[in-house]
Amino acid sequence: MKALLVLGPMVRHVDGDSAAVWVETASAGVVTVRLPGRDGEQVWRAPTFGVHGHHYALVEVTGLHPGERSTYQVLLDDQVVWPQPADPFPAPHLATSPPGGPVRLAFGSCRTSVPHDLVHETSHGVDALRTYALSLRAGEPGPLGVEPDLLLLLGDQVYADSTSAAMREFIASRRSLQEEPGAELADYEEYAHLYQLAWTEPPLRWLFSWLPSLMIFDDHDIRDDWNTSLAWREEMEQTSWWHGRVVAGLGSYWVYQHLGNLSVSARAGDPLWHELQRRQAEHPGREVDLTDAVDAFAERADRDPLSYRWSYTHPLGGSSHLVVVDSRAARNLDPEHRAMLDEAEMSWLDEQLTGDVEHLVIGTSLPYLLPRGIHHLEAWDEAVVAGAWGPRWRRPGEWLRQELDLEHWAAFHASFERVAAMVTEVADGRRGTAPASVVFLSGDVHHSYITEVVRTGGSRILQLVCSPVRNPMPVVMRAAFALVAHGIARPLGAALARSARVPDPPLRWRDVAGPWFDNNIAVLDIEGQDLRTVWLGGRRVLGIDDEPQLVLVADIELDVPPVGSSTHPARARVHPDDRSRVRPRAARALGVAALSLAAYAWWRRSR
């Protein structure tokens, strides 16, 4: 039978009474979601809409009941297209959020789409998300003993600037790789193919067909260092290809990722979705072509970040709350008013960060809390570019910013301070009843770790970073990073920051566990006031090419005492066979060697 589904189905936003099912189809038609109900069969339908010759539908399955769980089918023009005949995976199901009880949130970032053979696993490691999917398919959900309720992907779901051999082959079939932008993506058609490469693997396709997913972009979804600074943006705008790239990137992101993040009510207020509904009402029974509206919307969103908000919120069972923050497109790059979030976005975030919830969870692709030495270095570099060391240092400072990726929250010091004030007020009970914890979830930095803000009372403030899902830092670089981040960078960074008159950060934080450098997927288990998190990876089994073994990297209980009591260090139980962590002695030895090699390579290049 000819495949009628190109991508999906993907279960996206789910709450107590609704679920969104997204698909890309091979042709225009009407998509139906069918599931058995208490009073017989129930169906929900939506016509496809077109964008640049591709066909999509998002079916809003409404009128459900909290905690309801049922298998479902997807039909295109009354023909069943999912599940497929002889599918070796279990039948997909829809499960609405229960009114209370524990929540298990899987999260991670940075996943490249390359084959799963020995050659690519040597360079890219074992895919942690795919391994987790295969383990869940086999009925082995890991140490928590149950499957997750939600998947949060925190950026770099696709790499538009670092393409695989398969992606380069597709690009070469359309245009010369010698013309700009070379092997990087140029237009919507290439983005559509990249998403197909990333999401059509059978284990992932099955996982997405039942596990609700939420997403937010980071730089590689568009391009490395996206919106690092005004100088970076001006450099991009001088190229012949950037405008087409960013329009295609943002337009395809809305279609493939963002549309499914929204609840039914939030989607109804989305201007592009509203335009789609208007056109469909004018042309009932026909597929609407939304290409012009998507392109105009993406161009406007890039030109004027105030015109659209990519951030969103999501309830987390019981009374916990998730706030997902856009830390890329919403930046203010004016050197005089530099901010991670423009004023409208910061005001919106200020409104979302409140108490009266059990746990407040903040998702941001870029870690809010870096190792202290790196934090000082990034804050120092921002001050140097602003002129703290005089005009002659501005250009070297900008070069360092782009070469070393010094563009996290620490490099937007004013924004860091404002968010610190917000979360401190929440944790102190000045924005409603203090939650049991405020938890940042982040990715981006190609290693995983846990940090905690040092406090003597109120809510515990924690950060959990999980990166990468599949794109590990080279081994020698791990040691060099560990040496710099946790060794010489701390005193050096502090001294440099003082020399540039950078004020000390308003928070103090310490390491709880990590770093781990191999590919991982993390799961946060929220049960009442208790928090537990596990990091899971994959390991190739000798003689078995396609069934990697799920490996426990860390299993950590995060002690959350009653609000207002004195806090003490979190209990951390780390798996003893943790070979992905760089030990201090090895870090020093390998780090010195790596830095020496880097210095020698720089010297040779300068000659």
Side-chain angles (χ1 to χ4, degrees):
M1 182 180 70
K2 181 180 178 181
L4 300 178
L5 278 187
V6 176
L7 268 179
M10 297 178 71
V11 177
R12 301 300 314 279
H13 182 284
V14 169
D15 52 31
D17 60 5
S18 70
V21 178
W22 180 97
V23 296
E24 180 180 353
T25 64
S27 60
V30 175
V31 175
T32 300
V33 173
R34 181 169 68 189
L35 66 154
R38 290 169 298 279
D39 302 318
E41 189 175 83
Q42 296 176 291
V43 296
W44 293 262
R45 294 185 174 88
T48 60
F49 63 93
V51 181
H52 287 282
H54 293 261
H55 313 278
Y56 309 96
L58 186 141
V59 182
E60 296 180 328
V61 181
T62 57
L64 304 176
H65 298 274
E68 187 173 358
R69 179 186 175 107
S70 177
T71 59
Y72 73 97
Q73 293 178 319
V74 176
L75 297 80
L76 178 61
D77 289 339
D78 298 323
Q79 179 179 346
V80 175
V81 293
W82 196 268
Q84 297 174 330
D87 192 336
F89 292 88
H93 60 265
L94 287 179
T96 54
S97 304
V103 175
R104 296 168 187 89
L105 170 61
F107 67 97
S109 77
C110 307
R111 180 177 178 271
T112 53
S113 304
V114 296
H116 300 283
D117 53 35
L118 180 60
V119 172
H120 289 88
E121 287 182 354
T122 300
S123 59
H124 290 74
V126 176
D127 187 335
L129 185 60
R130 179 176 178 272
T131 302
Y132 193 32
L134 290 168
S135 181
L136 291 171
R137 189 271 304 268
E140 300 170 358
L144 296 179
V146 292
E147 63 191 30
D149 304 299
L150 180 65
L151 174 64
L152 176 61
L153 298 176
L154 286 164
D156 296 344
Q157 279 68 261
V158 292
Y159 278 71
D161 53 354
S162 180
T163 52
S164 66
M167 189 67 223
R168 292 193 297 272
E169 182 179 354
F170 178 78
I171 294 172
S173 71
R174 306 179 67 241
R175 58 179 174 84
S176 171
L177 294 179
Q178 304 306 312
E179 66 183 54
E180 293 186 333
E184 298 187 27
L185 271 60
D187 57 22
Y188 190 98
E189 184 66 26
E190 292 172 8
Y191 263 103
H193 192 76
L194 182 60
Y195 279 108
Q196 291 173 30
L197 291 176
W199 291 350
T200 52
E201 298 175 50
L204 287 182
R205 199 165 185 179
W206 170 76
L207 185 72
F208 286 136
S209 75
W210 63 267
L211 180 59
S213 58
L214 301 174
M215 307 176 188
I216 190 68
F217 46 43
D218 198 29
D219 54 344
H220 290 284
D221 293 84
I222 304 297
R223 195 174 197 265
D224 187 28
D225 297 338
W226 176 33
N227 282 344
T228 289
S229 64
L230 183 61
W232 181 93
R233 185 165 181 108
E234 289 174 343
E235 180 182 345
M236 288 297 102
E237 289 175 345
Q238 292 173 5
T239 68
S240 62
W241 52 268
W242 172 248
H243 179 264
R245 159 75 72 78
V246 74
V247 169
L250 290 177
S252 61
Y253 174 78
W254 183 88
V255 173
Y256 285 87
Q257 298 194 53
H258 183 68
L259 183 58
N261 292 331
L262 305 178
S263 65
V264 172
S265 59
R267 198 175 297 116
D270 184 274
L272 198 50
W273 181 257
H274 184 269
E275 174 63 14
L276 173 61
Q277 303 303 301
R278 186 190 69 78
R279 294 187 184 190
Q280 288 177 336
E282 289 182 353
H283 304 283
R286 292 169 49 192
E287 181 183 76
V288 166
D289 187 353
L290 203 62
T291 300
D292 62 324
V294 167
D295 288 351
F297 158 82
E299 184 175 18
R300 184 170 59 253
D302 175 60
R303 183 180 66 251
D304 178 15
L306 294 175
S307 67
Y308 192 76
R309 174 168 295 119
W310 301 103
S311 302
Y312 58 92
T313 64
H314 186 81
L316 287 179
S319 60
S320 296
H321 192 57
L322 171 65
V323 180
V324 181
V325 183
D326 159 26
S327 56
R328 281 290 173 184
R331 296 179 177 185
N332 185 341
L333 301 179
D334 180 355
E336 301 299 322
H337 304 92
R338 181 174 162 82
M340 180 68 82
L341 308 178
D342 60 45
E343 195 57 41
E345 194 76 6
M346 187 67 80
S347 297
W348 175 87
L349 180 61
D350 198 13
E351 295 173 0
Q352 309 310 313
L353 299 188
T354 63
D356 299 324
V357 295
E358 199 156 43
H359 298 273
L360 178 61
V361 183
I362 305 167
T364 168
S365 64
L366 299 176
Y368 180 68
L369 301 173
L370 295 168
R372 290 291 294 272
I374 301 297
H375 178 98
H376 289 312
L377 285 173
E378 295 207 8
W380 161 79
D381 183 76
E382 181 188 35
V384 167
V385 177
W389 277 14
R392 71 177 62 182
W393 287 95
R394 290 177 185 263
R395 178 173 289 183
E398 179 63 36
W399 179 84
L400 278 175
R401 172 189 282 167
Q402 295 189 31
E403 286 296 313
L404 302 182
D405 291 342
L406 306 181
E407 41 109 23
H408 298 82
W409 285 88
F412 293 81
H413 191 76
S415 299
F416 181 91
E417 290 190 327
R418 290 185 66 176
V419 173
M422 295 175 194
V423 298
T424 300
E425 289 178 3
V426 172
D428 288 344
R430 288 181 280 158
R431 296 185 171 214
T433 303
S437 72
V438 179
V439 182
F440 287 91
L441 302 182
S442 303
D444 175 71
V445 289
H446 296 268
H447 66 286
S448 301
Y449 62 95
I450 301 176
T451 50
E452 177 183 20
V453 173
V454 177
R455 293 171 54 80
T456 57
S459 306
R460 170 156 271 166
I461 302 176
L462 297 151
Q463 177 179 259
L464 315 179
V465 177
C466 182
S467 169
V469 172
R470 194 186 192 197
N471 192 14
M473 189 184 297
V475 173
V476 173
M477 288 300 297
R478 300 179 192 186
F481 176 85
L483 173 70
V484 172
H486 301 281
I488 62 175
R490 189 157 188 170
L492 175 62
L496 289 172
R498 284 194 298 270
S499 74
R501 297 182 176 84
V502 177
D504 289 335
L507 303 175
R508 291 190 303 116
W509 58 95
R510 65 178 187 85
D511 298 334
V512 173
W516 306 286
F517 288 90
D518 282 347
N519 298 332
N520 287 309
I521 190 77
V523 185
L524 173 64
D525 182 21
I526 302 174
E527 187 165 3
Q529 289 199 347
D530 296 332
L531 295 179
R532 177 183 175 191
T533 184
V534 297
W535 262 257
L536 304 169
R539 182 176 298 164
R540 172 177 281 268
V541 179
L542 291 177
I544 303 177
D545 289 337
D546 207 35
E547 295 285 342
Q549 177 186 2
L550 190 69
V551 176
L552 175 63
V553 174
D555 185 346
I556 301 167
E557 298 173 40
L558 297 168
D559 177 56
V560 181
V563 175
S565 62
S566 60
T567 60
H568 52 273
R571 297 192 302 271
R573 177 167 60 87
V574 180
H575 193 256
D577 190 23
D578 176 18
R579 295 183 293 179
S580 66
R581 187 177 181 182
V582 176
R583 307 297 178 183
R585 184 174 297 176
R588 286 193 292 271
L590 292 175
V592 169
L595 290 175
S596 300
L597 286 172
Y600 176 72
W602 176 85
W603 175 76
R604 287 294 300 268
R605 183 178 179 183
S606 66
R607 294 191 65 187

